[in-house]
Amino acid sequence: MLSQGNYNVAHLIGATVLMTGFALLYQRRLGAVLNTFALQALALAAAAAWQAYIQRAPHLYITAGIALVFKAILVPLVLHWLVERLGIKRSSEPALSVAASMVTGVALVALSILLVLPVTAKAAALTRESLALAMSVLLLGLLMTITRRNAVTQVIGFMALENGLILAAVSARGMPLVVELSVAFSVLVAMAIFGIFFFQIRDRFDSLDLHNLDSFREDRL
Amino acid sequence: MRSLLSPAQIAILWQIIQVVLVVALAPLVNGTIRWFKARLNGRRGPPLLQSYRDLYRLLQKETLVATSASWLFRAAPYVVFASAWVAASIVPTFTTDLALAPAGDLIALVALLAVGRFWLALAGMDVGTAFGGIGASREMLIASLAEPAMLMMTFSLSLVCQTTQPAGIIAFVLEGHVGLEVSVGLALAALVMVALAENGRIPIDNPATHLELTMVHEAMVLEHSGRHLAMIEAAGMIRLTLYLALIAGLFVPWGIAPPGVPVREVALGMGAFLGKILVLCGALAVFETSIAKMRVFRTADFLGGALLLGLLATIFLYVSEAV
């Protein structure tokens, strides 16, 4: 029987992931965003390792390892390198102000709680809070993808969204490793493609501000 | 062995010790933080007792008052000091067995601190110099954001522990009713952020600065001198000690003696309190050394974050209740 204390630690780590999600929304400088993302991945790895311990599911240790190596170390390093290579130092102002996006973030957390609690009424009672946390992380990542103008921060938002998915996956029982492996590798592939896109966008516009892409749109109705 | 004093008398005795303790300890806390910071910067730093000497020196000096100052300017330092002192004496430090404990809950604490701040801002504007006005308006900007955050934090803690009294919260935690809860963690983060802002510590204000454009607190007290300045400085030190004691008391209450225990345990509580304050001083010094001050207009984001953390703490409380 799992004790209440084990779940409380799990929730605490989950809340740390969520807090780093808010910290991502709060940061304005590119370097700080990348470091915060690394921190989030670190917290995610801790969450996965803790779930592996309390569920006695050794394959979750591999998930934790993947999160640690790829997302906490490799992806931030590559993005740092990209930022260095492309010579962009400052993030552009977000499309939505920091304060407004934080308020929206809290609203999204409330929304995900309202969504998750009734839907999972029959699930094991104590995993519901974890699911609510994971859903919030996911929505915050989505919010970040929407509200940032810079391509690098949008990619970070996408990765944060994926962190939310993994958090949900590890807190639900019986998620097979294959799924996580494929998700992790698809993110790496996405990462490579994004890298190429960065170079292409930069070559064409001398900037990573995606505002420039708007001129390629059809006329808006 | 039967006690010589009745429980009420013991509570009054501890209360008197606490009242003296916070005032006596506050400059030492300030000096310790300065010493830690100096060491981290690679300087030798002033001796630990320097803050006492500073206060003594200020008390010896002549008190000059601007010709345009009203009675308000002269009264403010004493009101500020008194409100900080009373506030600090109701936060349990080494024992919850305090005569004033039932009178002071967290909301009263917030109100007492607000009184002090209000008078300080009034005195800043009273003389009519530009810097006093800037300092006062900035202080009010920070306060208007920090206070709701502090109250939100208070509400979520009170919902967990079902009381707004610090002594009650400590007793509730000590009896083991509260595990590692998400809400409590969020409330702790919110309180730390508020404490940094309210005490003019580094991300919001630099306590060591005398550069006009960036200072908040120092700008307000520019016109004060002599014993008035000493009162205000001492009140600032007491407020810092109060917040450290509040963080240590509410979130790491282990060691605080409940009512009706032998003197030995209360002495143990005193030792635990001093240890906790020392650790917090070190943590604050490391934090302040490792980050830079933010622009004045970013404080809204910072304290807005604290408010949202408090709000999230309350939201998650309802989640764990629903589960």
Side-chain angles (χ1 to χ4, degrees), chain A residues 182-211:
Chain A
S182 61
V183 168
F185 280 110
S186 64
V187 164
L188 272 191
V189 171
M191 170 80 216
I193 296 171
F194 279 130
I196 295 165
F197 263 119
F198 288 164
F199 278 109
Q200 293 287 341
I201 295 171
R202 208 271 315 249
D203 281 350
R204 200 163 284 272
F205 302 111
D206 285 332
S207 152
L208 278 188
D209 194 330
L210 294 183
H211 234 52

PDB file of all heavy atoms in Angstrom, chain A residues 182-211:
ATOM      1  N   SER A 182       9.313   6.653 -28.107  1.00  0.00           N
ATOM      2  CA  SER A 182       9.005   7.248 -29.402  1.00  0.00           C
ATOM      3  C   SER A 182       8.747   8.737 -29.257  1.00  0.00           C
ATOM      4  O   SER A 182       9.186   9.541 -30.092  1.00  0.00           O
ATOM      5  CB  SER A 182       7.808   6.544 -30.036  1.00  0.00           C
ATOM      6  OG  SER A 182       6.696   6.711 -29.198  1.00  0.00           O
ATOM      7  N   VAL A 183       8.071   9.115 -28.146  1.00  0.00           N
ATOM      8  CA  VAL A 183       7.833  10.543 -27.935  1.00  0.00           C
ATOM      9  C   VAL A 183       9.156  11.285 -27.794  1.00  0.00           C
ATOM     10  O   VAL A 183       9.389  12.317 -28.434  1.00  0.00           O
ATOM     11  CB  VAL A 183       6.956  10.764 -26.683  1.00  0.00           C
ATOM     12  CG1 VAL A 183       6.959  12.228 -26.290  1.00  0.00           C
ATOM     13  CG2 VAL A 183       5.545  10.310 -26.939  1.00  0.00           C
ATOM     14  N   ALA A 184      10.066  10.701 -26.994  1.00  0.00           N
ATOM     15  CA  ALA A 184      11.344  11.367 -26.766  1.00  0.00           C
ATOM     16  C   ALA A 184      12.105  11.542 -28.063  1.00  0.00           C
ATOM     17  O   ALA A 184      12.659  12.613 -28.346  1.00  0.00           O
ATOM     18  CB  ALA A 184      12.174  10.552 -25.779  1.00  0.00           C
ATOM     19  N   PHE A 185      12.090  10.500 -28.912  1.00  0.00           N
ATOM     20  CA  PHE A 185      12.869  10.619 -30.140  1.00  0.00           C
ATOM     21  C   PHE A 185      12.213  11.547 -31.139  1.00  0.00           C
ATOM     22  O   PHE A 185      12.891  12.280 -31.861  1.00  0.00           O
ATOM     23  CB  PHE A 185      13.124   9.237 -30.740  1.00  0.00           C
ATOM     24  CG  PHE A 185      14.250   8.559 -30.044  1.00  0.00           C
ATOM     25  CD1 PHE A 185      14.043   7.478 -29.230  1.00  0.00           C
ATOM     26  CD2 PHE A 185      15.546   9.063 -30.179  1.00  0.00           C
ATOM     27  CE1 PHE A 185      15.083   6.881 -28.553  1.00  0.00           C
ATOM     28  CE2 PHE A 185      16.597   8.458 -29.513  1.00  0.00           C
ATOM     29  CZ  PHE A 185      16.373   7.375 -28.696  1.00  0.00           C
ATOM     30  N   SER A 186      10.866  11.545 -31.142  1.00  0.00           N
ATOM     31  CA  SER A 186      10.196  12.473 -32.067  1.00  0.00           C
ATOM     32  C   SER A 186      10.518  13.905 -31.669  1.00  0.00           C
ATOM     33  O   SER A 186      10.676  14.780 -32.527  1.00  0.00           O
ATOM     34  CB  SER A 186       8.690  12.234 -32.072  1.00  0.00           C
ATOM     35  OG  SER A 186       8.168  12.526 -30.808  1.00  0.00           O
ATOM     36  N   VAL A 187      10.667  14.144 -30.360  1.00  0.00           N
ATOM     37  CA  VAL A 187      11.037  15.486 -29.930  1.00  0.00           C
ATOM     38  C   VAL A 187      12.439  15.828 -30.419  1.00  0.00           C
ATOM     39  O   VAL A 187      12.698  16.939 -30.883  1.00  0.00           O
ATOM     40  CB  VAL A 187      10.963  15.597 -28.396  1.00  0.00           C
ATOM     41  CG1 VAL A 187      11.690  16.822 -27.920  1.00  0.00           C
ATOM     42  CG2 VAL A 187       9.525  15.652 -27.960  1.00  0.00           C
ATOM     43  N   LEU A 188      13.329  14.850 -30.368  1.00  0.00           N
ATOM     44  CA  LEU A 188      14.686  15.116 -30.850  1.00  0.00           C
ATOM     45  C   LEU A 188      14.690  15.441 -32.338  1.00  0.00           C
ATOM     46  O   LEU A 188      15.368  16.364 -32.792  1.00  0.00           O
ATOM     47  CB  LEU A 188      15.583  13.906 -30.588  1.00  0.00           C
ATOM     48  CG  LEU A 188      16.259  13.885 -29.238  1.00  0.00           C
ATOM     49  CD1 LEU A 188      17.294  12.802 -29.211  1.00  0.00           C
ATOM     50  CD2 LEU A 188      16.893  15.228 -28.948  1.00  0.00           C
ATOM     51  N   VAL A 189      13.882  14.652 -33.076  1.00  0.00           N
ATOM     52  CA  VAL A 189      13.790  14.909 -34.515  1.00  0.00           C
ATOM     53  C   VAL A 189      13.239  16.307 -34.754  1.00  0.00           C
ATOM     54  O   VAL A 189      13.777  17.089 -35.549  1.00  0.00           O
ATOM     55  CB  VAL A 189      12.894  13.843 -35.186  1.00  0.00           C
ATOM     56  CG1 VAL A 189      12.618  14.230 -36.619  1.00  0.00           C
ATOM     57  CG2 VAL A 189      13.560  12.492 -35.126  1.00  0.00           C
ATOM     58  N   ALA A 190      12.169  16.615 -33.997  1.00  0.00           N
ATOM     59  CA  ALA A 190      11.561  17.941 -34.116  1.00  0.00           C
ATOM     60  C   ALA A 190      12.599  19.020 -33.853  1.00  0.00           C
ATOM     61  O   ALA A 190      12.687  20.030 -34.563  1.00  0.00           O
ATOM     62  CB  ALA A 190      10.409  18.072 -33.128  1.00  0.00           C
ATOM     63  N   MET A 191      13.410  18.755 -32.835  1.00  0.00           N
ATOM     64  CA  MET A 191      14.485  19.674 -32.452  1.00  0.00           C
ATOM     65  C   MET A 191      15.424  19.950 -33.634  1.00  0.00           C
ATOM     66  O   MET A 191      15.758  21.099 -33.942  1.00  0.00           O
ATOM     67  CB  MET A 191      15.207  18.965 -31.309  1.00  0.00           C
ATOM     68  CG  MET A 191      16.469  19.522 -30.842  1.00  0.00           C
ATOM     69  SD  MET A 191      16.085  20.860 -29.788  1.00  0.00           S
ATOM     70  CE  MET A 191      17.462  21.823 -30.306  1.00  0.00           C
ATOM     71  N   ALA A 192      15.815  18.850 -34.315  1.00  0.00           N
ATOM     72  CA  ALA A 192      16.718  19.009 -35.453  1.00  0.00           C
ATOM     73  C   ALA A 192      16.047  19.829 -36.545  1.00  0.00           C
ATOM     74  O   ALA A 192      16.662  20.743 -37.128  1.00  0.00           O
ATOM     75  CB  ALA A 192      17.114  17.635 -35.983  1.00  0.00           C
ATOM     76  N   ILE A 193      14.775  19.501 -36.797  1.00  0.00           N
ATOM     77  CA  ILE A 193      14.063  20.223 -37.856  1.00  0.00           C
ATOM     78  C   ILE A 193      13.942  21.703 -37.504  1.00  0.00           C
ATOM     79  O   ILE A 193      14.167  22.584 -38.333  1.00  0.00           O
ATOM     80  CB  ILE A 193      12.664  19.609 -38.087  1.00  0.00           C
ATOM     81  CG1 ILE A 193      12.827  18.177 -38.593  1.00  0.00           C
ATOM     82  CG2 ILE A 193      11.864  20.419 -39.062  1.00  0.00           C
ATOM     83  CD1 ILE A 193      11.557  17.406 -38.650  1.00  0.00           C
ATOM     84  N   PHE A 194      13.617  21.966 -36.226  1.00  0.00           N
ATOM     85  CA  PHE A 194      13.524  23.361 -35.789  1.00  0.00           C
ATOM     86  C   PHE A 194      14.847  24.072 -36.013  1.00  0.00           C
ATOM     87  O   PHE A 194      14.886  25.222 -36.438  1.00  0.00           O
ATOM     88  CB  PHE A 194      13.149  23.437 -34.310  1.00  0.00           C
ATOM     89  CG  PHE A 194      11.694  23.262 -34.051  1.00  0.00           C
ATOM     90  CD1 PHE A 194      11.244  22.370 -33.097  1.00  0.00           C
ATOM     91  CD2 PHE A 194      10.768  23.999 -34.759  1.00  0.00           C
ATOM     92  CE1 PHE A 194       9.912  22.201 -32.859  1.00  0.00           C
ATOM     93  CE2 PHE A 194       9.423  23.842 -34.515  1.00  0.00           C
ATOM     94  CZ  PHE A 194       8.995  22.933 -33.567  1.00  0.00           C
ATOM     95  N   GLY A 195      15.938  23.358 -35.707  1.00  0.00           N
ATOM     96  CA  GLY A 195      17.261  23.960 -35.891  1.00  0.00           C
ATOM     97  C   GLY A 195      17.455  24.409 -37.326  1.00  0.00           C
ATOM     98  O   GLY A 195      17.874  25.542 -37.592  1.00  0.00           O
ATOM     99  N   ILE A 196      17.090  23.506 -38.254  1.00  0.00           N
ATOM    100  CA  ILE A 196      17.243  23.852 -39.673  1.00  0.00           C
ATOM    101  C   ILE A 196      16.363  25.049 -40.019  1.00  0.00           C
ATOM    102  O   ILE A 196      16.772  25.984 -40.695  1.00  0.00           O
ATOM    103  CB  ILE A 196      16.875  22.631 -40.549  1.00  0.00           C
ATOM    104  CG1 ILE A 196      17.893  21.522 -40.292  1.00  0.00           C
ATOM    105  CG2 ILE A 196      16.869  23.012 -42.014  1.00  0.00           C
ATOM    106  CD1 ILE A 196      17.452  20.182 -40.797  1.00  0.00           C
ATOM    107  N   PHE A 197      15.138  25.026 -39.462  1.00  0.00           N
ATOM    108  CA  PHE A 197      14.223  26.136 -39.718  1.00  0.00           C
ATOM    109  C   PHE A 197      14.794  27.455 -39.225  1.00  0.00           C
ATOM    110  O   PHE A 197      14.687  28.478 -39.904  1.00  0.00           O
ATOM    111  CB  PHE A 197      12.877  25.876 -39.038  1.00  0.00           C
ATOM    112  CG  PHE A 197      11.874  25.300 -39.969  1.00  0.00           C
ATOM    113  CD1 PHE A 197      11.329  24.049 -39.730  1.00  0.00           C
ATOM    114  CD2 PHE A 197      11.471  26.007 -41.087  1.00  0.00           C
ATOM    115  CE1 PHE A 197      10.406  23.511 -40.600  1.00  0.00           C
ATOM    116  CE2 PHE A 197      10.538  25.470 -41.961  1.00  0.00           C
ATOM    117  CZ  PHE A 197      10.008  24.216 -41.712  1.00  0.00           C
ATOM    118  N   PHE A 198      15.405  27.395 -38.027  1.00  0.00           N
ATOM    119  CA  PHE A 198      16.003  28.632 -37.496  1.00  0.00           C
ATOM    120  C   PHE A 198      16.965  29.235 -38.498  1.00  0.00           C
ATOM    121  O   PHE A 198      16.923  30.422 -38.799  1.00  0.00           O
ATOM    122  CB  PHE A 198      16.776  28.349 -36.205  1.00  0.00           C
ATOM    123  CG  PHE A 198      15.909  28.059 -35.029  1.00  0.00           C
ATOM    124  CD1 PHE A 198      16.439  27.468 -33.904  1.00  0.00           C
ATOM    125  CD2 PHE A 198      14.566  28.383 -35.043  1.00  0.00           C
ATOM    126  CE1 PHE A 198      15.660  27.197 -32.809  1.00  0.00           C
ATOM    127  CE2 PHE A 198      13.772  28.124 -33.960  1.00  0.00           C
ATOM    128  CZ  PHE A 198      14.316  27.515 -32.846  1.00  0.00           C
ATOM    129  N   PHE A 199      17.830  28.351 -39.025  1.00  0.00           N
ATOM    130  CA  PHE A 199      18.839  28.858 -39.963  1.00  0.00           C
ATOM    131  C   PHE A 199      18.176  29.444 -41.200  1.00  0.00           C
ATOM    132  O   PHE A 199      18.544  30.513 -41.687  1.00  0.00           O
ATOM    133  CB  PHE A 199      19.806  27.748 -40.360  1.00  0.00           C
ATOM    134  CG  PHE A 199      20.870  27.545 -39.330  1.00  0.00           C
ATOM    135  CD1 PHE A 199      20.881  26.421 -38.534  1.00  0.00           C
ATOM    136  CD2 PHE A 199      21.860  28.502 -39.155  1.00  0.00           C
ATOM    137  CE1 PHE A 199      21.854  26.247 -37.574  1.00  0.00           C
ATOM    138  CE2 PHE A 199      22.836  28.322 -38.196  1.00  0.00           C
ATOM    139  CZ  PHE A 199      22.833  27.196 -37.412  1.00  0.00           C
ATOM    140  N   GLN A 200      17.151  28.730 -41.690  1.00  0.00           N
ATOM    141  CA  GLN A 200      16.471  29.201 -42.899  1.00  0.00           C
ATOM    142  C   GLN A 200      15.804  30.554 -42.665  1.00  0.00           C
ATOM    143  O   GLN A 200      15.945  31.477 -43.455  1.00  0.00           O
ATOM    144  CB  GLN A 200      15.408  28.181 -43.327  1.00  0.00           C
ATOM    145  CG  GLN A 200      15.980  26.859 -43.787  1.00  0.00           C
ATOM    146  CD  GLN A 200      16.633  26.984 -45.143  1.00  0.00           C
ATOM    147  OE1 GLN A 200      16.364  27.918 -45.880  1.00  0.00           O
ATOM    148  NE2 GLN A 200      17.540  26.060 -45.453  1.00  0.00           N
ATOM    149  N   ILE A 201      15.083  30.637 -41.537  1.00  0.00           N
ATOM    150  CA  ILE A 201      14.362  31.881 -41.246  1.00  0.00           C
ATOM    151  C   ILE A 201      15.368  33.016 -41.093  1.00  0.00           C
ATOM    152  O   ILE A 201      15.184  34.112 -41.623  1.00  0.00           O
ATOM    153  CB  ILE A 201      13.527  31.736 -39.953  1.00  0.00           C
ATOM    154  CG1 ILE A 201      12.433  30.705 -40.137  1.00  0.00           C
ATOM    155  CG2 ILE A 201      12.904  33.065 -39.573  1.00  0.00           C
ATOM    156  CD1 ILE A 201      11.717  30.364 -38.848  1.00  0.00           C
ATOM    157  N   ARG A 202      16.456  32.731 -40.386  1.00  0.00           N
ATOM    158  CA  ARG A 202      17.438  33.779 -40.133  1.00  0.00           C
ATOM    159  C   ARG A 202      18.060  34.237 -41.449  1.00  0.00           C
ATOM    160  O   ARG A 202      18.243  35.425 -41.700  1.00  0.00           O
ATOM    161  CB  ARG A 202      18.505  33.250 -39.176  1.00  0.00           C
ATOM    162  CG  ARG A 202      19.159  34.325 -38.334  1.00  0.00           C
ATOM    163  CD  ARG A 202      20.349  34.914 -39.028  1.00  0.00           C
ATOM    164  NE  ARG A 202      21.197  33.890 -39.610  1.00  0.00           N
ATOM    165  CZ  ARG A 202      22.392  33.603 -39.179  1.00  0.00           C
ATOM    166  NH1 ARG A 202      22.874  34.237 -38.161  1.00  0.00           N
ATOM    167  NH2 ARG A 202      23.106  32.682 -39.779  1.00  0.00           N
ATOM    168  N   ASP A 203      18.397  33.257 -42.319  1.00  0.00           N
ATOM    169  CA  ASP A 203      19.017  33.629 -43.581  1.00  0.00           C
ATOM    170  C   ASP A 203      18.118  34.555 -44.383  1.00  0.00           C
ATOM    171  O   ASP A 203      18.564  35.486 -45.029  1.00  0.00           O
ATOM    172  CB  ASP A 203      19.293  32.371 -44.417  1.00  0.00           C
ATOM    173  CG  ASP A 203      20.541  31.683 -43.904  1.00  0.00           C
ATOM    174  OD1 ASP A 203      21.227  32.315 -43.075  1.00  0.00           O
ATOM    175  OD2 ASP A 203      20.801  30.545 -44.311  1.00  0.00           O
ATOM    176  N   ARG A 204      16.829  34.288 -44.330  1.00  0.00           N
ATOM    177  CA  ARG A 204      15.915  35.043 -45.164  1.00  0.00           C
ATOM    178  C   ARG A 204      15.598  36.420 -44.574  1.00  0.00           C
ATOM    179  O   ARG A 204      15.483  37.395 -45.282  1.00  0.00           O
ATOM    180  CB  ARG A 204      14.631  34.245 -45.376  1.00  0.00           C
ATOM    181  CG  ARG A 204      13.829  34.698 -46.566  1.00  0.00           C
ATOM    182  CD  ARG A 204      12.822  33.648 -46.964  1.00  0.00           C
ATOM    183  NE  ARG A 204      13.439  32.528 -47.665  1.00  0.00           N
ATOM    184  CZ  ARG A 204      13.621  32.501 -48.982  1.00  0.00           C
ATOM    185  NH1 ARG A 204      13.240  33.513 -49.722  1.00  0.00           N
ATOM    186  NH2 ARG A 204      14.168  31.455 -49.547  1.00  0.00           N
ATOM    187  N   PHE A 205      15.425  36.475 -43.246  1.00  0.00           N
ATOM    188  CA  PHE A 205      14.930  37.724 -42.650  1.00  0.00           C
ATOM    189  C   PHE A 205      15.937  38.407 -41.749  1.00  0.00           C
ATOM    190  O   PHE A 205      15.640  39.444 -41.180  1.00  0.00           O
ATOM    191  CB  PHE A 205      13.664  37.448 -41.836  1.00  0.00           C
ATOM    192  CG  PHE A 205      12.562  36.840 -42.638  1.00  0.00           C
ATOM    193  CD1 PHE A 205      12.166  35.540 -42.419  1.00  0.00           C
ATOM    194  CD2 PHE A 205      11.929  37.585 -43.617  1.00  0.00           C
ATOM    195  CE1 PHE A 205      11.153  34.992 -43.160  1.00  0.00           C
ATOM    196  CE2 PHE A 205      10.905  37.031 -44.352  1.00  0.00           C
ATOM    197  CZ  PHE A 205      10.524  35.726 -44.133  1.00  0.00           C
ATOM    198  N   ASP A 206      17.102  37.794 -41.515  1.00  0.00           N
ATOM    199  CA  ASP A 206      18.083  38.345 -40.571  1.00  0.00           C
ATOM    200  C   ASP A 206      17.518  38.466 -39.169  1.00  0.00           C
ATOM    201  O   ASP A 206      17.936  39.318 -38.407  1.00  0.00           O
ATOM    202  CB  ASP A 206      18.586  39.730 -41.025  1.00  0.00           C
ATOM    203  CG  ASP A 206      19.549  39.567 -42.170  1.00  0.00           C
ATOM    204  OD1 ASP A 206      20.191  38.508 -42.223  1.00  0.00           O
ATOM    205  OD2 ASP A 206      19.639  40.486 -42.984  1.00  0.00           O
ATOM    206  N   SER A 207      16.541  37.670 -38.828  1.00  0.00           N
ATOM    207  CA  SER A 207      15.954  37.771 -37.496  1.00  0.00           C
ATOM    208  C   SER A 207      15.162  36.511 -37.235  1.00  0.00           C
ATOM    209  O   SER A 207      14.769  35.807 -38.160  1.00  0.00           O
ATOM    210  CB  SER A 207      15.046  38.996 -37.417  1.00  0.00           C
ATOM    211  OG  SER A 207      14.032  38.778 -36.477  1.00  0.00           O
ATOM    212  N   LEU A 208      14.940  36.215 -35.965  1.00  0.00           N
ATOM    213  CA  LEU A 208      14.096  35.063 -35.651  1.00  0.00           C
ATOM    214  C   LEU A 208      12.707  35.503 -35.205  1.00  0.00           C
ATOM    215  O   LEU A 208      11.955  34.722 -34.653  1.00  0.00           O
ATOM    216  CB  LEU A 208      14.740  34.210 -34.559  1.00  0.00           C
ATOM    217  CG  LEU A 208      15.801  33.228 -35.041  1.00  0.00           C
ATOM    218  CD1 LEU A 208      16.212  32.322 -33.911  1.00  0.00           C
ATOM    219  CD2 LEU A 208      15.300  32.397 -36.197  1.00  0.00           C
ATOM    220  N   ASP A 209      12.405  36.765 -35.427  1.00  0.00           N
ATOM    221  CA  ASP A 209      11.092  37.259 -35.061  1.00  0.00           C
ATOM    222  C   ASP A 209      10.083  36.778 -36.095  1.00  0.00           C
ATOM    223  O   ASP A 209      10.165  37.130 -37.268  1.00  0.00           O
ATOM    224  CB  ASP A 209      11.113  38.786 -35.004  1.00  0.00           C
ATOM    225  CG  ASP A 209       9.885  39.303 -34.309  1.00  0.00           C
ATOM    226  OD1 ASP A 209       8.835  38.637 -34.391  1.00  0.00           O
ATOM    227  OD2 ASP A 209       9.963  40.370 -33.679  1.00  0.00           O
ATOM    228  N   LEU A 210       9.144  35.958 -35.637  1.00  0.00           N
ATOM    229  CA  LEU A 210       8.237  35.320 -36.587  1.00  0.00           C
ATOM    230  C   LEU A 210       7.200  36.281 -37.148  1.00  0.00           C
ATOM    231  O   LEU A 210       6.427  35.900 -38.014  1.00  0.00           O
ATOM    232  CB  LEU A 210       7.542  34.129 -35.925  1.00  0.00           C
ATOM    233  CG  LEU A 210       8.492  32.995 -35.562  1.00  0.00           C
ATOM    234  CD1 LEU A 210       7.739  31.838 -34.993  1.00  0.00           C
ATOM    235  CD2 LEU A 210       9.294  32.558 -36.767  1.00  0.00           C
ATOM    236  N   HIS A 211       7.227  37.510 -36.657  1.00  0.00           N
ATOM    237  CA  HIS A 211       6.368  38.533 -37.234  1.00  0.00           C
ATOM    238  C   HIS A 211       6.591  38.666 -38.726  1.00  0.00           C
ATOM    239  O   HIS A 211       5.668  38.933 -39.480  1.00  0.00           O
ATOM    240  CB  HIS A 211       6.700  39.866 -36.569  1.00  0.00           C
ATOM    241  CG  HIS A 211       5.498  40.520 -36.005  1.00  0.00           C
ATOM    242  ND1 HIS A 211       4.644  39.868 -35.152  1.00  0.00           N
ATOM    243  CD2 HIS A 211       5.003  41.765 -36.166  1.00  0.00           C
ATOM    244  CE1 HIS A 211       3.677  40.677 -34.829  1.00  0.00           C
ATOM    245  NE2 HIS A 211       3.873  41.842 -35.423  1.00  0.00           N
TER     246      HIS A 211
END
